[in-house]
């Protein structure tokens, strides 16, 4: 079981002091009520992680942990097998003591595009839909004082815990909740990230407003989402699947998303990056052995998804509360 007491202690000395009891209760209910067929197997993988001494982290170019005493081949294999037990790894890559976890996504490429546009120094950061926490490590490395991520997916929580296992003191925490489940009020974060979440929400305006509610006045939102080309009158509402994903509801154009952010009460709205996802950035690997983007595009025309919609184009916008 994860020991959240250092986080609860930190919160008691912050504007989120009122989170303490609600979070403690919510965590207990969530973690005790966990019934997922694979959970015991994932937790066994965490127990199989070898204890290592002299752990050091180097996040300058990615998420890389190393040990001052080299790992034996047996220990390295044990680490590899424990991490493989947490397949599929989607966001990364991670270089953990020489084991290269080559994830489905080159999330480091996205971070390279986003990071130059934000200042996280000394900031209290909330990462909504944090996945396995890859970006949270990058946010901490970029100077954040506290990073809290929320994501309801329990496999991703276990992947996060595999890394945190070797960095127990890091002020980086993942909570197994949705944004909507966070105790209110939440208006205490300097920076809130929502990357890859908006298009999964049935009610995009509510999402923008819920994110705003998490920011302190003057705080900054970083919104990354799928978009389409076009003016402020254009959006795409897929009839069914989009790039084989069942739960994609709404892809606005950048001008429409900018207008939505302004209508939701944000100011200083600007698009800082626009990028068409390549089959080098999202693909199957030994750590994610299911189908990936190359199978989701039209084989005859890679500018279209297999359903005939425009191929994935992602925008990052920043905005102020
Ligand atoms: C496409 S992934 C994006 C992961 C990561 N943020 C990134 O940009 O690579 C979307 C994530 O959002 C999570 N998610 C979906 N709905 C959510 C909600 N209501 N609150 C918090 N997380 C949510 C999913 O479990 C999933 O891990």
């Amino acid at each position: 079981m994860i020991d959240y007491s250092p986080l609860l202690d930190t919160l008691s000395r912050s504007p989120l002091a009122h989170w303490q009891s609600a979070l403690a209760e919510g965590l207990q209910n969530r973690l005790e009520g966990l019934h997922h067929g694979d959970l015991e197997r994932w937790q066994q993988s965490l127990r199989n992680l070898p204890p290592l001494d002299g752990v050091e982290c180097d996040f300058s170019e990615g998420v890389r942990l190393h040990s001052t005493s080299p790992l034996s081949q047996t220990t390295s294999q044990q680490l590899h097998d424990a991490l493989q037990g947490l397949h599929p790894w989607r966001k990364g890559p991670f270089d953990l003591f020489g084991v290269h976890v080559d994830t489905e996504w080159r999330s480091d490429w996205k971070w390279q595009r986003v990071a130059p546009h934000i200042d996280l120094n000394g900031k209290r950061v909330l990462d909504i839909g944090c996945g396995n926490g890859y970006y949270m490590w990058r946010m901490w490395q970029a100077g954040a004082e506290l990073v809290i991520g929320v994501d309801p997916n329990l496999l991703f929580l276990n992947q996060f815990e595999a890394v945190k296992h070797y960095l127990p003191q890091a002020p980086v925490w993942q909570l197994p909740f949705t944004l909507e489940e966070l105790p209110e009020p939440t208006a205490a974060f300097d920076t809130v990230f929502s990357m890859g979440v908006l298009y999964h929400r049935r009610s995009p305006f509510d999402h923008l407003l819920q994110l705003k509610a998490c920011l302190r006045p003057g705080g900054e939102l970083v919104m990354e989402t799928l978009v389409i080309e076009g003016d402020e009158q254009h959006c795409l509402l897929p009839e069914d699947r989009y790039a084989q994903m069942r739960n994609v509801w709404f892809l606005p154009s950048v001008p429409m998303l900018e207008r939505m952010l302004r209508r939701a009460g944000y100011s200083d709205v600007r698009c800082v990056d626009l990028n068409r996802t390549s089959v080098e950035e999202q693909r199957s690997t030994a750590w994610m052995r299911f189908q990936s983007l190359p199978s989701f595009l039209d084989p005859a025309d890679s500018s279209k998804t297999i359903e005939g919609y425009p191929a994935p184009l992602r925008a990052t916008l920043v905005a102020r509360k």
Side-chain angles (χ1 to χ4, degrees), residues 198-240:
L198 185 72
Y199 51 86
H200 288 316
R201 304 303 300 151
R202 268 183 264 205
S203 180
F205 257 107
D206 286 342
H207 186 64
L208 299 183
L209 293 169
Q210 282 155 355
L211 295 168
K212 189 154 75 95
C214 298
L215 283 164
R216 64 159 172 81
E220 190 167 57
L221 171 71
V222 181
M223 159 62 58
E224 194 261 1
T225 192
L226 286 168
V227 293
I228 57 162
E229 284 171 359
D231 64 20
E232 54 280 292
Q233 305 300 330
H234 278 87
C235 69
L236 168 65
L237 192 65
E239 182 69 37
D240 186 15

mmCIF file of all heavy atoms in Angstrom, residues 198-240:
data_model
loop_
_atom_site.group_PDB
_atom_site.id
_atom_site.type_symbol
_atom_site.label_atom_id
_atom_site.label_comp_id
_atom_site.label_asym_id
_atom_site.label_seq_id
_atom_site.Cartn_x
_atom_site.Cartn_y
_atom_site.Cartn_z
ATOM 1 N N LEU A 198 -8.656 16.479 -22.830
ATOM 2 C CA LEU A 198 -9.862 17.217 -23.257
ATOM 3 C C LEU A 198 -10.714 16.406 -24.239
ATOM 4 O O LEU A 198 -11.935 16.348 -24.121
ATOM 5 C CB LEU A 198 -9.470 18.562 -23.878
ATOM 6 C CG LEU A 198 -10.655 19.462 -24.256
ATOM 7 C CD1 LEU A 198 -11.327 20.041 -23.027
ATOM 8 C CD2 LEU A 198 -10.209 20.603 -25.170
ATOM 9 N N TYR A 199 -10.068 15.760 -25.195
ATOM 10 C CA TYR A 199 -10.852 15.048 -26.217
ATOM 11 C C TYR A 199 -11.518 13.789 -25.667
ATOM 12 O O TYR A 199 -12.402 13.220 -26.297
ATOM 13 C CB TYR A 199 -10.004 14.719 -27.457
ATOM 14 C CG TYR A 199 -8.690 14.016 -27.178
ATOM 15 C CD1 TYR A 199 -8.616 12.641 -27.050
ATOM 16 C CD2 TYR A 199 -7.509 14.753 -27.059
ATOM 17 C CE1 TYR A 199 -7.411 12.004 -26.805
ATOM 18 C CE2 TYR A 199 -6.297 14.130 -26.819
ATOM 19 C CZ TYR A 199 -6.252 12.754 -26.685
ATOM 20 O OH TYR A 199 -5.059 12.135 -26.439
ATOM 21 N N HIS A 200 -11.098 13.375 -24.481
ATOM 22 C CA HIS A 200 -11.758 12.225 -23.844
ATOM 23 C C HIS A 200 -12.966 12.663 -23.013
ATOM 24 O O HIS A 200 -13.686 11.815 -22.487
ATOM 25 C CB HIS A 200 -10.788 11.503 -22.908
ATOM 26 C CG HIS A 200 -9.717 10.732 -23.622
ATOM 27 N ND1 HIS A 200 -9.975 9.933 -24.714
ATOM 28 C CD2 HIS A 200 -8.386 10.620 -23.388
ATOM 29 C CE1 HIS A 200 -8.844 9.372 -25.120
ATOM 30 N NE2 HIS A 200 -7.863 9.781 -24.339
ATOM 31 N N ARG A 201 -13.143 13.963 -22.854
ATOM 32 C CA ARG A 201 -14.232 14.451 -22.004
ATOM 33 C C ARG A 201 -15.471 14.725 -22.851
ATOM 34 O O ARG A 201 -15.386 15.398 -23.873
ATOM 35 C CB ARG A 201 -13.809 15.734 -21.252
ATOM 36 C CG ARG A 201 -12.565 15.590 -20.409
ATOM 37 C CD ARG A 201 -12.662 14.485 -19.375
ATOM 38 N NE ARG A 201 -13.753 14.682 -18.439
ATOM 39 C CZ ARG A 201 -14.397 13.689 -17.825
ATOM 40 N NH1 ARG A 201 -14.067 12.429 -18.061
ATOM 41 N NH2 ARG A 201 -15.368 13.951 -16.994
ATOM 42 N N ARG A 202 -16.605 14.240 -22.369
ATOM 43 C CA ARG A 202 -17.852 14.453 -23.113
ATOM 44 C C ARG A 202 -18.278 15.905 -23.058
ATOM 45 O O ARG A 202 -18.995 16.386 -23.910
ATOM 46 C CB ARG A 202 -18.949 13.582 -22.531
ATOM 47 C CG ARG A 202 -19.020 12.264 -23.234
ATOM 48 C CD ARG A 202 -20.155 11.450 -22.697
ATOM 49 N NE ARG A 202 -19.646 10.557 -21.681
ATOM 50 C CZ ARG A 202 -20.221 9.428 -21.351
ATOM 51 N NH1 ARG A 202 -21.338 9.059 -21.911
ATOM 52 N NH2 ARG A 202 -19.689 8.653 -20.441
ATOM 53 N N SER A 203 -17.840 16.583 -22.006
ATOM 54 C CA SER A 203 -18.289 17.952 -21.812
ATOM 55 C C SER A 203 -17.048 18.849 -21.706
ATOM 56 O O SER A 203 -16.569 19.142 -20.610
ATOM 57 C CB SER A 203 -19.120 17.991 -20.523
ATOM 58 O OG SER A 203 -19.567 19.273 -20.287
ATOM 59 N N PRO A 204 -16.528 19.287 -22.861
ATOM 60 C CA PRO A 204 -15.238 19.987 -22.833
ATOM 61 C C PRO A 204 -15.258 21.298 -22.040
ATOM 62 O O PRO A 204 -14.274 21.612 -21.368
ATOM 63 C CB PRO A 204 -14.928 20.234 -24.311
ATOM 64 C CG PRO A 204 -16.205 20.001 -25.043
ATOM 65 C CD PRO A 204 -17.022 19.077 -24.225
ATOM 66 N N PHE A 205 -16.381 22.026 -22.084
ATOM 67 C CA PHE A 205 -16.440 23.286 -21.326
ATOM 68 C C PHE A 205 -16.338 23.026 -19.829
ATOM 69 O O PHE A 205 -15.653 23.749 -19.105
ATOM 70 C CB PHE A 205 -17.740 24.052 -21.624
ATOM 71 C CG PHE A 205 -17.504 25.197 -22.546
ATOM 72 C CD1 PHE A 205 -17.931 25.143 -23.855
ATOM 73 C CD2 PHE A 205 -16.829 26.331 -22.112
ATOM 74 C CE1 PHE A 205 -17.702 26.191 -24.728
ATOM 75 C CE2 PHE A 205 -16.591 27.380 -22.970
ATOM 76 C CZ PHE A 205 -17.026 27.313 -24.279
ATOM 77 N N ASP A 206 -17.028 21.993 -19.382
ATOM 78 C CA ASP A 206 -16.944 21.668 -17.953
ATOM 79 C C ASP A 206 -15.501 21.353 -17.568
ATOM 80 O O ASP A 206 -15.035 21.741 -16.504
ATOM 81 C CB ASP A 206 -17.848 20.474 -17.614
ATOM 82 C CG ASP A 206 -19.315 20.875 -17.607
ATOM 83 O OD1 ASP A 206 -19.593 22.084 -17.520
ATOM 84 O OD2 ASP A 206 -20.170 19.979 -17.704
ATOM 85 N N HIS A 207 -14.793 20.654 -18.458
ATOM 86 C CA HIS A 207 -13.390 20.337 -18.171
ATOM 87 C C HIS A 207 -12.577 21.624 -18.022
ATOM 88 O O HIS A 207 -11.815 21.774 -17.070
ATOM 89 C CB HIS A 207 -12.823 19.443 -19.269
ATOM 90 C CG HIS A 207 -11.432 18.943 -18.993
ATOM 91 N ND1 HIS A 207 -11.133 18.110 -17.932
ATOM 92 C CD2 HIS A 207 -10.247 19.177 -19.625
ATOM 93 C CE1 HIS A 207 -9.824 17.845 -17.935
ATOM 94 N NE2 HIS A 207 -9.268 18.486 -18.955
ATOM 95 N N LEU A 208 -12.767 22.562 -18.953
ATOM 96 C CA LEU A 208 -12.012 23.829 -18.876
ATOM 97 C C LEU A 208 -12.328 24.566 -17.573
ATOM 98 O O LEU A 208 -11.435 25.154 -16.941
ATOM 99 C CB LEU A 208 -12.335 24.726 -20.080
ATOM 100 C CG LEU A 208 -11.986 24.163 -21.460
ATOM 101 C CD1 LEU A 208 -12.301 25.185 -22.550
ATOM 102 C CD2 LEU A 208 -10.518 23.750 -21.531
ATOM 103 N N LEU A 209 -13.585 24.521 -17.155
ATOM 104 C CA LEU A 209 -13.975 25.219 -15.924
ATOM 105 C C LEU A 209 -13.435 24.497 -14.687
ATOM 106 O O LEU A 209 -12.991 25.129 -13.725
ATOM 107 C CB LEU A 209 -15.506 25.343 -15.849
ATOM 108 C CG LEU A 209 -16.111 26.259 -16.924
ATOM 109 C CD1 LEU A 209 -17.620 26.123 -16.970
ATOM 110 C CD2 LEU A 209 -15.713 27.722 -16.681
ATOM 111 N N GLN A 210 -13.434 23.155 -14.746
ATOM 112 C CA GLN A 210 -12.896 22.398 -13.602
ATOM 113 C C GLN A 210 -11.396 22.629 -13.464
ATOM 114 O O GLN A 210 -10.864 22.706 -12.357
ATOM 115 C CB GLN A 210 -13.185 20.897 -13.779
ATOM 116 C CG GLN A 210 -14.618 20.540 -13.445
ATOM 117 C CD GLN A 210 -15.099 19.284 -14.160
ATOM 118 O OE1 GLN A 210 -14.390 18.703 -14.990
ATOM 119 N NE2 GLN A 210 -16.312 18.871 -13.855
ATOM 120 N N LEU A 211 -10.709 22.762 -14.585
ATOM 121 C CA LEU A 211 -9.270 23.052 -14.538
ATOM 122 C C LEU A 211 -9.039 24.439 -13.941
ATOM 123 O O LEU A 211 -8.139 24.641 -13.122
ATOM 124 C CB LEU A 211 -8.656 22.979 -15.939
ATOM 125 C CG LEU A 211 -8.667 21.601 -16.609
ATOM 126 C CD1 LEU A 211 -8.317 21.727 -18.089
ATOM 127 C CD2 LEU A 211 -7.683 20.656 -15.921
ATOM 128 N N LYS A 212 -9.881 25.388 -14.363
ATOM 129 C CA LYS A 212 -9.727 26.765 -13.855
ATOM 130 C C LYS A 212 -9.916 26.797 -12.336
ATOM 131 O O LYS A 212 -9.212 27.518 -11.626
ATOM 132 C CB LYS A 212 -10.724 27.702 -14.552
ATOM 133 C CG LYS A 212 -10.470 29.174 -14.236
ATOM 134 C CD LYS A 212 -10.983 30.080 -15.323
ATOM 135 C CE LYS A 212 -12.464 30.213 -15.300
ATOM 136 N NZ LYS A 212 -13.077 31.301 -14.616
ATOM 137 N N ALA A 213 -10.838 25.964 -11.873
ATOM 138 C CA ALA A 213 -11.113 25.934 -10.427
ATOM 139 C C ALA A 213 -9.906 25.434 -9.633
ATOM 140 O O ALA A 213 -9.810 25.676 -8.424
ATOM 141 C CB ALA A 213 -12.327 25.054 -10.157
ATOM 142 N N CYS A 214 -8.985 24.742 -10.284
ATOM 143 C CA CYS A 214 -7.797 24.221 -9.578
ATOM 144 C C CYS A 214 -6.681 25.260 -9.502
ATOM 145 O O CYS A 214 -5.702 25.060 -8.766
ATOM 146 C CB CYS A 214 -7.248 22.988 -10.285
ATOM 147 S SG CYS A 214 -8.399 21.628 -10.337
ATOM 148 N N LEU A 215 -6.784 26.333 -10.280
ATOM 149 C CA LEU A 215 -5.699 27.325 -10.343
ATOM 150 C C LEU A 215 -5.910 28.440 -9.324
ATOM 151 O O LEU A 215 -7.048 28.885 -9.100
ATOM 152 C CB LEU A 215 -5.660 27.951 -11.737
ATOM 153 C CG LEU A 215 -5.045 27.099 -12.844
ATOM 154 C CD1 LEU A 215 -5.414 27.660 -14.217
ATOM 155 C CD2 LEU A 215 -3.524 27.028 -12.685
ATOM 156 N N ARG A 216 -4.801 28.895 -8.752
ATOM 157 C CA ARG A 216 -4.892 30.125 -7.952
ATOM 158 C C ARG A 216 -5.104 31.288 -8.930
ATOM 159 O O ARG A 216 -4.763 31.165 -10.120
ATOM 160 C CB ARG A 216 -3.599 30.323 -7.151
ATOM 161 C CG ARG A 216 -2.380 30.547 -8.034
ATOM 162 C CD ARG A 216 -1.256 31.223 -7.294
ATOM 163 N NE ARG A 216 -0.041 31.277 -8.080
ATOM 164 C CZ ARG A 216 0.238 32.167 -9.040
ATOM 165 N NH1 ARG A 216 -0.645 33.092 -9.394
ATOM 166 N NH2 ARG A 216 1.391 32.146 -9.687
ATOM 167 N N PRO A 217 -5.627 32.421 -8.466
ATOM 168 C CA PRO A 217 -5.751 33.558 -9.374
ATOM 169 C C PRO A 217 -4.385 33.889 -9.980
ATOM 170 O O PRO A 217 -3.382 33.939 -9.261
ATOM 171 C CB PRO A 217 -6.245 34.683 -8.460
ATOM 172 C CG PRO A 217 -6.918 33.978 -7.322
ATOM 173 C CD PRO A 217 -6.159 32.698 -7.120
ATOM 174 N N GLY A 218 -4.329 34.073 -11.266
ATOM 175 C CA GLY A 218 -3.061 34.360 -11.941
ATOM 176 C C GLY A 218 -2.306 33.113 -12.354
ATOM 177 O O GLY A 218 -1.293 33.197 -13.050
ATOM 178 N N GLY A 219 -2.788 31.947 -11.931
ATOM 179 C CA GLY A 219 -2.102 30.693 -12.273
ATOM 180 C C GLY A 219 -2.246 30.363 -13.752
ATOM 181 O O GLY A 219 -3.059 30.960 -14.474
ATOM 182 N N GLU A 220 -1.447 29.381 -14.192
ATOM 183 C CA GLU A 220 -1.359 29.110 -15.630
ATOM 184 C C GLU A 220 -1.864 27.713 -15.976
ATOM 185 O O GLU A 220 -1.518 26.736 -15.299
ATOM 186 C CB GLU A 220 0.102 29.243 -16.065
ATOM 187 C CG GLU A 220 0.289 29.218 -17.566
ATOM 188 C CD GLU A 220 1.687 29.664 -17.970
ATOM 189 O OE1 GLU A 220 2.670 29.036 -17.504
ATOM 190 O OE2 GLU A 220 1.798 30.636 -18.722
ATOM 191 N N LEU A 221 -2.642 27.650 -17.041
ATOM 192 C CA LEU A 221 -3.103 26.365 -17.570
ATOM 193 C C LEU A 221 -2.235 25.984 -18.764
ATOM 194 O O LEU A 221 -1.934 26.831 -19.615
ATOM 195 C CB LEU A 221 -4.563 26.486 -18.042
ATOM 196 C CG LEU A 221 -5.107 25.274 -18.817
ATOM 197 C CD1 LEU A 221 -5.307 24.080 -17.888
ATOM 198 C CD2 LEU A 221 -6.417 25.624 -19.518
ATOM 199 N N VAL A 222 -1.841 24.721 -18.827
ATOM 200 C CA VAL A 222 -1.185 24.191 -20.024
ATOM 201 C C VAL A 222 -2.122 23.124 -20.582
ATOM 202 O O VAL A 222 -2.345 22.094 -19.942
ATOM 203 C CB VAL A 222 0.206 23.598 -19.698
ATOM 204 C CG1 VAL A 222 0.862 23.076 -20.979
ATOM 205 C CG2 VAL A 222 1.087 24.624 -19.002
ATOM 206 N N MET A 223 -2.669 23.413 -21.740
ATOM 207 C CA MET A 223 -3.678 22.539 -22.351
ATOM 208 C C MET A 223 -3.112 21.945 -23.631
ATOM 209 O O MET A 223 -2.751 22.671 -24.554
ATOM 210 C CB MET A 223 -4.924 23.403 -22.637
ATOM 211 C CG MET A 223 -5.889 22.885 -23.665
ATOM 212 S SD MET A 223 -6.640 21.315 -23.254
ATOM 213 C CE MET A 223 -7.431 21.673 -21.693
ATOM 214 N N GLU A 224 -3.005 20.611 -23.654
ATOM 215 C CA GLU A 224 -2.534 19.948 -24.866
ATOM 216 C C GLU A 224 -3.619 18.987 -25.313
ATOM 217 O O GLU A 224 -4.130 18.200 -24.499
ATOM 218 C CB GLU A 224 -1.228 19.201 -24.570
ATOM 219 C CG GLU A 224 -0.473 18.755 -25.809
ATOM 220 C CD GLU A 224 -0.695 17.314 -26.175
ATOM 221 O OE1 GLU A 224 -1.472 16.608 -25.471
ATOM 222 O OE2 GLU A 224 -0.105 16.868 -27.160
ATOM 223 N N THR A 225 -3.997 19.086 -26.570
ATOM 224 C CA THR A 225 -5.113 18.239 -27.013
ATOM 225 C C THR A 225 -5.084 18.039 -28.521
ATOM 226 O O THR A 225 -4.356 18.731 -29.243
ATOM 227 C CB THR A 225 -6.463 18.853 -26.571
ATOM 228 O OG1 THR A 225 -7.500 17.884 -26.767
ATOM 229 C CG2 THR A 225 -6.796 20.134 -27.332
ATOM 230 N N LEU A 226 -5.888 17.093 -28.992
ATOM 231 C CA LEU A 226 -6.048 16.887 -30.428
ATOM 232 C C LEU A 226 -6.886 18.017 -31.008
ATOM 233 O O LEU A 226 -7.893 18.414 -30.409
ATOM 234 C CB LEU A 226 -6.767 15.561 -30.689
ATOM 235 C CG LEU A 226 -5.952 14.291 -30.485
ATOM 236 C CD1 LEU A 226 -6.878 13.071 -30.489
ATOM 237 C CD2 LEU A 226 -4.902 14.143 -31.585
ATOM 238 N N VAL A 227 -6.460 18.520 -32.150
ATOM 239 C CA VAL A 227 -7.199 19.590 -32.822
ATOM 240 C C VAL A 227 -7.331 19.227 -34.306
ATOM 241 O O VAL A 227 -6.726 18.255 -34.776
ATOM 242 C CB VAL A 227 -6.465 20.955 -32.688
ATOM 243 C CG1 VAL A 227 -6.464 21.427 -31.239
ATOM 244 C CG2 VAL A 227 -5.043 20.896 -33.257
ATOM 245 N N ILE A 228 -8.112 20.037 -35.006
ATOM 246 C CA ILE A 228 -8.144 19.931 -36.469
ATOM 247 C C ILE A 228 -7.762 21.289 -37.054
ATOM 248 O O ILE A 228 -7.761 22.297 -36.334
ATOM 249 C CB ILE A 228 -9.529 19.500 -37.003
ATOM 250 C CG1 ILE A 228 -10.614 20.487 -36.535
ATOM 251 C CG2 ILE A 228 -9.858 18.083 -36.608
ATOM 252 C CD1 ILE A 228 -11.899 20.389 -37.347
ATOM 253 N N GLU A 229 -7.440 21.304 -38.328
ATOM 254 C CA GLU A 229 -7.179 22.588 -38.979
ATOM 255 C C GLU A 229 -8.503 23.301 -39.214
ATOM 256 O O GLU A 229 -9.546 22.649 -39.328
ATOM 257 C CB GLU A 229 -6.447 22.358 -40.302
ATOM 258 C CG GLU A 229 -4.986 22.015 -40.054
ATOM 259 C CD GLU A 229 -4.247 21.557 -41.303
ATOM 260 O OE1 GLU A 229 -4.876 21.492 -42.381
ATOM 261 O OE2 GLU A 229 -3.054 21.265 -41.169
ATOM 262 N N GLY A 230 -8.468 24.637 -39.277
ATOM 263 C CA GLY A 230 -9.697 25.365 -39.577
ATOM 264 C C GLY A 230 -9.836 26.612 -38.737
ATOM 265 O O GLY A 230 -8.991 26.896 -37.882
ATOM 266 N N ASP A 231 -10.932 27.370 -39.009
ATOM 267 C CA ASP A 231 -11.145 28.624 -38.289
ATOM 268 C C ASP A 231 -12.000 28.372 -37.044
ATOM 269 O O ASP A 231 -12.282 27.215 -36.700
ATOM 270 C CB ASP A 231 -11.755 29.686 -39.206
ATOM 271 C CG ASP A 231 -13.145 29.284 -39.676
ATOM 272 O OD1 ASP A 231 -13.778 28.422 -39.035
ATOM 273 O OD2 ASP A 231 -13.597 29.828 -40.703
ATOM 274 N N GLU A 232 -12.430 29.466 -36.405
ATOM 275 C CA GLU A 232 -13.128 29.322 -35.116
ATOM 276 C C GLU A 232 -14.501 28.674 -35.242
ATOM 277 O O GLU A 232 -15.138 28.393 -34.237
ATOM 278 C CB GLU A 232 -13.227 30.652 -34.358
ATOM 279 C CG GLU A 232 -13.837 31.819 -35.107
ATOM 280 C CD GLU A 232 -12.824 32.464 -36.035
ATOM 281 O OE1 GLU A 232 -11.860 33.071 -35.568
ATOM 282 O OE2 GLU A 232 -13.016 32.344 -37.264
ATOM 283 N N GLN A 233 -14.942 28.415 -36.475
ATOM 284 C CA GLN A 233 -16.242 27.749 -36.655
ATOM 285 C C GLN A 233 -16.072 26.231 -36.816
ATOM 286 O O GLN A 233 -17.064 25.526 -36.983
ATOM 287 C CB GLN A 233 -16.952 28.295 -37.924
ATOM 288 C CG GLN A 233 -17.123 29.791 -37.943
ATOM 289 C CD GLN A 233 -17.940 30.293 -36.764
ATOM 290 O OE1 GLN A 233 -18.809 29.592 -36.246
ATOM 291 N NE2 GLN A 233 -17.634 31.493 -36.309
ATOM 292 N N HIS A 234 -14.823 25.740 -36.792
ATOM 293 C CA HIS A 234 -14.601 24.331 -37.139
ATOM 294 C C HIS A 234 -14.258 23.442 -35.951
ATOM 295 O O HIS A 234 -13.420 23.792 -35.126
ATOM 296 C CB HIS A 234 -13.474 24.217 -38.169
ATOM 297 C CG HIS A 234 -13.940 24.476 -39.558
ATOM 298 N ND1 HIS A 234 -13.996 25.743 -40.091
ATOM 299 C CD2 HIS A 234 -14.389 23.639 -40.526
ATOM 300 C CE1 HIS A 234 -14.453 25.671 -41.322
ATOM 301 N NE2 HIS A 234 -14.708 24.410 -41.614
ATOM 302 N N CYS A 235 -14.924 22.289 -35.916
ATOM 303 C CA CYS A 235 -14.521 21.252 -34.968
ATOM 304 C C CYS A 235 -14.893 19.910 -35.585
ATOM 305 O O CYS A 235 -15.600 19.866 -36.594
ATOM 306 C CB CYS A 235 -15.207 21.440 -33.613
ATOM 307 S SG CYS A 235 -16.969 21.136 -33.670
ATOM 308 N N LEU A 236 -14.405 18.851 -34.988
ATOM 309 C CA LEU A 236 -14.742 17.502 -35.457
ATOM 310 C C LEU A 236 -15.363 16.728 -34.305
ATOM 311 O O LEU A 236 -14.786 16.646 -33.213
ATOM 312 C CB LEU A 236 -13.461 16.784 -35.943
ATOM 313 C CG LEU A 236 -13.591 15.280 -36.196
ATOM 314 C CD1 LEU A 236 -14.549 14.997 -37.342
ATOM 315 C CD2 LEU A 236 -12.224 14.669 -36.499
ATOM 316 N N LEU A 237 -16.537 16.189 -34.570
ATOM 317 C CA LEU A 237 -17.207 15.321 -33.609
ATOM 318 C C LEU A 237 -17.277 13.953 -34.278
ATOM 319 O O LEU A 237 -18.131 13.741 -35.148
ATOM 320 C CB LEU A 237 -18.610 15.883 -33.355
ATOM 321 C CG LEU A 237 -19.395 15.332 -32.192
ATOM 322 C CD1 LEU A 237 -18.714 15.671 -30.874
ATOM 323 C CD2 LEU A 237 -20.800 15.922 -32.208
ATOM 324 N N PRO A 238 -16.375 13.048 -33.957
ATOM 325 C CA PRO A 238 -16.365 11.766 -34.676
ATOM 326 C C PRO A 238 -17.687 11.023 -34.487
ATOM 327 O O PRO A 238 -18.267 11.054 -33.406
ATOM 328 C CB PRO A 238 -15.205 10.995 -34.022
ATOM 329 C CG PRO A 238 -14.400 12.018 -33.295
ATOM 330 C CD PRO A 238 -15.328 13.121 -32.926
ATOM 331 N N GLU A 239 -18.113 10.372 -35.542
ATOM 332 C CA GLU A 239 -19.373 9.607 -35.481
ATOM 333 C C GLU A 239 -19.221 8.429 -34.518
ATOM 334 O O GLU A 239 -20.129 8.105 -33.766
ATOM 335 C CB GLU A 239 -19.702 9.083 -36.889
ATOM 336 C CG GLU A 239 -20.997 8.307 -37.006
ATOM 337 C CD GLU A 239 -22.229 9.188 -36.818
ATOM 338 O OE1 GLU A 239 -22.201 10.335 -37.275
ATOM 339 O OE2 GLU A 239 -23.196 8.719 -36.204
ATOM 340 N N ASP A 240 -18.033 7.823 -34.555
ATOM 341 C CA ASP A 240 -17.796 6.661 -33.672
ATOM 342 C C ASP A 240 -16.336 6.731 -33.228
ATOM 343 O O ASP A 240 -15.965 7.616 -32.480
ATOM 344 C CB ASP A 240 -18.130 5.377 -34.437
ATOM 345 C CG ASP A 240 -18.048 4.139 -33.580
ATOM 346 O OD1 ASP A 240 -18.006 4.278 -32.354
ATOM 347 O OD2 ASP A 240 -18.010 3.029 -34.140
#
